Amino acid sequence: MNDCLFCKIIAGDIPSGRVYEDERIYAFKDINPQAPVHVLIVPKTHLSGLDGLEEAEDRLLASLLRAAHTIAAREGVETSGYRLISNCGPDACQSVKHLHFHLLGGKQLSEEMD
Ligand code: AMP
Ligand code: ZN
């Protein structure tokens, strides 16, 4: 998608701190980290968000979750723990309309979920 920030990052048109990449997935450091480890995990194909998923994306979704665990291990938070969040829609403050998961860790995260 031409005007999508994350599509531009995936294409290399905007620089990013890459931490993981495979054929279908790209992951990079969040520019405004909310925890010592804050990685964004995105599919290389443009999907708007959790609300844009169809059954055809089931395997991709599973791969994203599996990649999250690999990234957590690489970032050294596999044992200490981490949180995976995907904001969907206005109430969740989704600001980039390209499906992404936030992987947060490296500190004791709040029990609050909002
Ligand atoms: P969300 O609010 O869930 O849509 O998350 C979008 C995330 O993208 C935010 O946490 C931003 O800090 C992050 N972000 C925005 N621009 C960039 C960028 N150029 N590189 C890395 N992360 C970014
Ligand atoms: Zn996109």
Side-chain angles (χ1 to χ4, degrees):
M1 231 198 180
N2 287 341
D3 59 348
C4 172
L5 173 67
F6 288 174
C7 282
K8 288 178 185 162
I9 286 176
I10 292 159
D13 296 338
I14 293 175
S16 65
R18 183 180 64 175
V19 298
Y20 175 91
E21 183 170 13
D22 65 28
E23 323 83 68
R24 290 177 297 175
I25 296 167
Y26 190 76
F28 53 101
K29 292 191 183 296
D30 195 293
I31 204 167
N32 182 25
Q34 305 297 309
V37 173
H38 188 169
V39 174
L40 298 172
I41 307 167
V42 307
K44 287 184 173 176
T45 51
H46 181 90
L47 298 164
S48 61
L50 289 175
D51 53 348
L53 287 173
E54 299 190 9
E55 208 173 323
E57 272 90 50
D58 282 2
R59 283 192 62 194
L60 174 61
L61 196 53
S63 298
L64 286 161
L65 298 177
R66 196 171 291 284
H69 189 70
T70 301
I71 292 161
R74 284 191 189 175
E75 295 292 312
V77 297
E78 185 186 25
T79 307
S80 53
Y82 59 94
R83 183 172 289 163
L84 206 56
I85 296 169
S86 188
N87 296 319
C88 184
D91 276 2
C93 303
Q94 181 183 4
S95 61
V96 180
K97 302 284 185 287
H98 181 128
L99 176 65
H100 55 282
F101 288 92
H102 297 254
L103 188 151
L104 296 156
K107 71 171 187 180
Q108 179 63 61
L109 298 168
S110 162
E111 286 185 16
E112 307 290 332
M113 292 301 284
D114 68 347

